[in-house]
């Protein structure tokens, strides 16, 4: 059963309000969170199984988050989701390839805007939503540490009293402990190499319930009707039956099936986990509490919701015929059938030559949801909200200096008739006025399976003294402790690429395994950041 916690708010806002919220400034950290959360292909990773041994990836992402959080001491304001788990993997309380594989997943989706601690939290959001569970609100802003925390992950052979104490230290009541363990153990199971006492058979994975890849309450109903195969409830040696002790610790009250009027489901004390809707909402509550457990100094952002109107990054190419091709994509939630978007720009040098008619373009292609991201599988947004992408591909004269772009959206849901998407009044701007930019088409053309050549277009009349790229190296040997490394390369003039009238081309080689890049330019001793923490290709593939 799918249960969308904040969808009703969105519908309400879109219908009743002229102020279009939420709005996240272009390329701000909230914009990056929104982009990763709702459009990235990593949502799809959570839906797949490990190629080796078929383990459920969503289960591994949930377990790694709990193990990262579990040595928190909420009273002292220390620990929580902070990536300390990466430095704790040699401890007996953290066995298993699953924890390592999960961290490796997050390392490869790393971007400087979403650090490893935030990725661990976002992993839980993806894991639940992708396996049929509730959508939990995501807040960003976690801080990533570089060292181990204290011991503190509960182990199955420990007593009920020690588990109650451990969850109290983590900030959870006894009822919440039962809820969180039951919710977590909806996915995955116990593996042979990790717990030979419970699973002696070579390479076997014994699951907590009959639907180990679906976030549902079978772990509870099978426990209650005594058909459960959950090793932590029925394994031969009673010492290891921690789920049984925990589930039974209030006489099965929290687990028990009983039918309640709808309004009582809002009170988690009374909600039975045997009810699918109550299970979803209760799990959303305790899982959200788990991922939002952070040290006392850390301030999390507001929950990141899908923005009503958003603009993906711009891709530029210098064309031979004295033109610069610009490609940019917008997205609008809950489109009406008459939904239409136009892009406008101003010309810094010749403003009076830039009338509405001349300096504007309409979307080349339009596409209704579900729109496929580059991975050809639906993004998270595609499952929660109707939306429409508009893709603009147009060319402007290379002598025009477009210092600002903005958009006009016509949609009958907009009461005033027209929504102006101008990035909160700032417009969508580019530093350096197209004197230097990453040439997307040439970069893509110069790239092969085994090498990446970044190509930058440089206006000959305004050459910088230096252009460099910082990229996030995600190759395995660059990543001790699962931390991606930052690499740097300088660009130089590349005469193998024919110049255009305005532009010459500078190149730099970058390893194939990189996630994001930052481009910077030095001119007259001053450094300008052009593209910060960007990806090379549009996440949205609708051409
Ligand atoms: C007293 C508390 C807990 C104990 C003793 C416990 C114990 C275990 C054990 C022994 C395994 C098998 C791991 C392996 O074989 O690699 C496991 C797996 C798992 N645990 Fe827990 N757990 C506890 C609490 C939690 C909580 C609170 C969550 C999440 C909210 C959670 C989520 C999971 C998940 C998703 C798996 C499956 C991992 C996979 O299949 O890869 N556990 N747990
Ligand atoms: C993953 O494995 C589970 C069984 O563990 C299966 O139900 C599910 O369909 C598999 N998912 C994919 C995407 O292969
Ligand atoms: C996969 O299973 C085999 C046994 O069948 C085991 O030896 C190996 O360690 C497992 N690999 C992982 C990554 O869990
Ligand atoms: C059960 O496991 C515990 C902990 O490993 C061990 O001390 C005990 O001897 C085992 N009991 C039986 C009956 O095997
Ligand atoms: C709780 O449920 C389990 C599983 O059905 C059962 O073994 C146990 O006796 C129940 N506890 C109580 C207090 O009824
Ligand atoms: C580009 O502009 C220059 C200067 O106006 C002109 O000489 C040249 O012919 C143009 N090139 C093309 C391909 O139009
Ligand atoms: C403005 O446009 C006119 C007509 O296209 C052109 O003749 C003129 O040179 C332009 N002015 C500038 C400053 O580019």
């Amino acid at each position: 059963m799918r249960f969308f916690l904040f969808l009703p708010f969105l519908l309400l806002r879109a219908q009743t309000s002229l102020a279009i919220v939420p709005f996240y400034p272009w390329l701000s950290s909230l914009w990056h969170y929104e982009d990763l959360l709702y459009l990235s292909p990593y949502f799809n990773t959570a839906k797949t199984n490990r190629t080796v041994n078929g383990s459920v990836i969503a289960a591994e992402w949930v377990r790694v988050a709990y193990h990262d959080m579990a040595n928190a001491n909420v009273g002292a304001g220390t620990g929580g989701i902070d990536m300390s788990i990466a430095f704790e993997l040699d401890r007996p309380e953290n066995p298993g390839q699953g924890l390592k594989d999960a961290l490796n997943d997050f390392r490869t989706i790393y971007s400087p805007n979403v650090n490893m601690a935030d990725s661990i939290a976002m992993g839980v959001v993806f894991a639940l939503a992708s396996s049929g569970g509730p959508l939990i609100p995501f807040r960003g802003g976690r801080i990533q540490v570089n060292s181990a925390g204290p011991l503190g992950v509960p182990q199955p052979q420990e007593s009920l009293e020690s588990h109650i104490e451990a969850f109290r230290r983590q900030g959870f009541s006894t009822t919440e402990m039962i809820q969180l363990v039951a919710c977590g153990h909806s996915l995955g199971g116990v593996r042979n190499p990790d717990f030979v006492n419970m699973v002696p058979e070579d390479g076997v994975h014994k699951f907590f319930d009959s639907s180990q890849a679906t976030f549902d309450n079978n772990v509870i109903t099978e426990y209650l009707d005594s058909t459960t195969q959950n090793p932590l409830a029925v394994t031969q040696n009673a010492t290891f039956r921690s789920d049984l002790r925990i589930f039974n610790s209030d006489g099965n009250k929290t687990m028990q099936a009983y039918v309640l009027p709808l309004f009582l489901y809002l009170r988690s004390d009374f909600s039975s986990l045997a009810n699918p809707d109550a299970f979803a909402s209760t799990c959303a509550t305790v899982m959200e509490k788990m991922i939002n457990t952070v040290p006392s100094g850390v301030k999390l952002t507001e929950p990141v919701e899908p923005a009503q109107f958003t603009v993906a990054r711009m891709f530029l190419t210098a064309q031979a015929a004295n033109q610069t091709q610009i490609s940019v994509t917008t997205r609008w939630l809950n489109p009406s059938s008459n939904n239409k978007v136009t892009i406008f720009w101003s010309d810094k040098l010749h403003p009076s030559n830039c009338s509405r008619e001349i300096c504007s373009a309409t979307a080349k292609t339009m596409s209704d949801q579900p729109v496929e991201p580059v991975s050809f599988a639906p993004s998270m947004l595609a499952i929660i909200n109707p939306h429409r992408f508009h893709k603009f591909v147009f060319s402007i004269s290379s002598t025009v200096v477009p210092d600002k772009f903005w958009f006009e959206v016509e949609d009958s849901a907009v009461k005033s008739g027209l929504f102006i998407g101008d990035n909160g009044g700032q417009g969508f701007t580019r530093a350096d006025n197209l004197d230097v930019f990453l040439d997307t088409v040439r970069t893509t053309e110069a790239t092969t399976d085994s090498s990446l050549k970044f190509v930058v277009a440089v206006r000959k009349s305004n050459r910088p003294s230096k252009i460099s790229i910082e990229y996030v190296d995600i190759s395995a040997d660059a990543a001790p402790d699962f931390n991606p490394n930052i690499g740097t390369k300088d660009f130089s003039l590349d005469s193998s690429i024919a110049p255009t009238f305005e532009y010459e081309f500078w190149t730099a080689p970058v390893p194939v395994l990189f996630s994001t890049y930052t481009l910077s330019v030095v001119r007259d001793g001053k450094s300008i950041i052009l593209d910060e923490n960007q990806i090379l290709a549009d996440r949205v593939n609708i051409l």
Side-chain angles (χ1 to χ4, degrees), residues 206-423:
K206 280 191 186 160
F207 300 112
F208 294 127
D209 67 18
S210 57
S211 53
Q212 72 274 12
T214 308
F215 194 83
D216 59 20
N217 68 347
N218 285 347
V219 64
I220 290 151
T221 53
E222 290 166 14
Y223 163 81
L224 289 172
D225 67 18
S226 301
T227 58
T228 188
Q229 301 291 308
N230 176 354
L232 291 172
V234 300
T235 197
Q236 212 146 36
N237 185 336
T239 309
F240 291 94
R241 293 182 195 155
S242 56
D243 276 7
L244 177 63
R245 287 190 292 274
I246 288 170
F247 295 168
N248 199 17
S249 62
D250 64 355
N252 295 330
K253 184 170 150 272
T254 302
M255 306 292 281
Q256 207 86 56
Y258 45 96
V259 180
L260 287 172
L262 197 62
F263 68 91
L264 282 181
Y265 291 154
L266 298 173
R267 302 202 33 193
S268 62
D269 284 352
F270 291 100
S271 63
S272 157
L273 296 178
N275 175 290
D277 287 346
F279 173 80
S281 72
T282 302
C283 291
T285 303
V286 289
M287 288 280 183
E288 186 184 5
K289 184 167 175 176
M290 174 177 86
I291 63 173
N292 290 349
T293 301
V294 289
S296 51
V298 176
K299 192 168 172 344
L300 297 180
T301 68
E302 64 199 87
V304 180
E305 296 179 10
Q308 175 62 44
F309 176 77
T310 189
V311 177
R313 65 154 302 192
M314 240 174 219
F315 295 95
L316 302 161
T317 292
Q319 294 173 309
N322 293 341
Q323 301 269 304
T324 302
Q325 180 183 283
I326 297 176
S327 145
V328 66
T329 304
T330 65
R331 190 199 73 213
W332 180 262
L333 289 189
N334 304 312
S336 308
S337 55
N338 70 339
N339 182 266
K340 182 181 169 217
V341 186
T342 310
I343 187 171
F344 295 88
W345 59 92
S346 55
D347 182 351
K348 187 180 176 190
L349 301 181
H350 318 295
S352 58
N353 263 19
C354 214
S355 65
R356 277 179 67 85
E357 289 68 35
I358 292 169
C359 293
S360 66
T362 48
K364 182 180 176 189
T365 48
M366 256 192 177
S367 144
D368 284 313
Q369 78 98 14
V371 168
E372 319 275 85
V374 272
S375 66
F376 300 112
S379 67
M380 187 149 98
L381 188 61
I383 68 161
I384 61 169
N385 221 326
H387 57 278
R388 189 173 292 161
F389 291 105
H390 293 262
K391 182 141 190 164
F392 299 85
V393 180
F394 57 97
S395 294
I396 60 172
S397 161
S398 48
T399 55
V400 169
V401 177
D403 56 346
K404 202 187 251 193
F405 295 89
W406 69 96
F407 300 84
E408 289 183 4
V409 182
E410 291 166 48
D411 190 292
S412 47
V414 180
K415 295 285 182 289
S416 61
L418 205 60
F419 168 79
I420 312 287
D422 61 357
N423 195 32

Side-chain angles (χ1 to χ4, degrees), residues 40-63:
S40 82
Y42 299 105
F43 170 66
N44 297 303
T45 305
K47 287 191 291 200
T48 54
N49 298 326
R50 217 45 90 190
T51 346
V52 181
N53 296 6
S55 306
V56 180
I57 290 178
E60 296 180 350
W61 288 9
V62 172
R63 179 168 178 248

